[in-house]
Amino acid sequence: ILFLCLLMYIFVANPLLTIILCCLVGSGIKCDGCQRDSDEWKIIGAVVSFLASAFIGAISYVVFDFVKRMVLGCVDAIFMCYAFETMEGQSQADRFSELYAVIKEVKVVSGVPATTAVPTAHVAPVAAAQTMQVECPEGVSAGQTLSVQAPSGAMMQVTVPEGVQQGGMFAVQIPA
């Protein structure tokens, strides 16, 4: 059974080959004069059943792969539009208010999984090697965690101290 499952996976993962193979093999199967209870009838029935399931699996793979590509393309376009509008200081809040609210809620920093994503911040290095100044980004308040990049390039998590407003600067100690 494991062999048949592996074989089915290979067939379904290569849909064009599977469709061609099913058509060629299926057109060559003939059962002229077979008895219903004969071994030949059972073998042909098993082969036809396998070919039919492989054919349907291959067609399903093609359809779902197309849908997957369409959805990913649409999501990419939505995020690109949001990024360009944010960069230009424009907003389509009237058309996409609910969608943009969700996007603003979670800002993913490169390399940080979406489940633990935190807002990013602008960092200005300070003359002292042990601290740096961090600007509190829009939408972040005291007590929230930010992901910032140290002058060395390493990402670190910092908490916005009490009393710091949006756009305000605060000092952060750089780990040694």
Side-chain angles (χ1 to χ4, degrees):
I1 291 181
L2 184 60
F3 173 74
L4 288 177
C5 290
L6 181 62
L7 188 62
M8 183 63 74
Y9 172 76
I10 292 169
F11 274 111
V12 172
N14 299 298
L16 183 60
L17 176 69
T18 301
I19 292 170
I20 292 170
L21 189 65
C22 286
C23 291
L24 291 176
V25 173
S27 65
I29 295 177
K30 294 185 178 162
C31 188
D32 294 333
C34 293
Q35 295 297 323
R36 207 159 175 26
D37 293 332
S38 68
D39 288 339
E40 185 182 10
W41 177 268
K42 292 176 184 176
I43 291 171
I44 289 174
V47 170
V48 168
S49 297
F50 181 82
L51 289 176
S53 60
F55 183 80
I56 291 170
I59 297 296
S60 299
Y61 181 90
V62 170
V63 169
F64 287 125
D65 187 58
F66 173 75
V67 170
K68 174 194 76 169
R69 291 172 190 264
M70 290 296 294
V71 169
L72 288 176
C74 291
V75 169
D76 287 346
I78 289 169
F79 278 103
M80 288 300 292
C81 289
Y82 176 78
F84 287 135
E85 288 172 1
T86 302
M87 196 169 54
E88 295 295 321
Q90 300 173 350
S91 177
Q92 297 290 331
D94 52 325
R95 288 180 54 198
F96 306 112
S97 60
E98 291 177 21
L99 176 64
Y100 280 12
V102 170
I103 293 173
K104 286 179 185 176
E105 219 172 90
V106 177
K107 294 181 183 175
V108 178
V109 176
S110 179
V112 179
T115 55
T116 60
V118 293
T120 59
H122 299 287
V123 178
V126 176
Q130 298 299 324
T131 62
M132 67 179 182
Q133 292 291 317
V134 176
E135 179 184 356
C136 183
E138 183 179 330
V140 177
S141 59
Q144 288 185 304
T145 304
L146 296 174
S147 181
V148 297
Q149 187 173 10
S152 66
M155 296 301 287
M156 55 189 237
Q157 303 289 320
V158 297
T159 303
V160 178
E162 291 297 324
V164 176
Q165 307 267 336
Q166 294 178 7
M169 302 293 282
F170 60 96
V172 174
Q173 289 223 314
I174 302 170

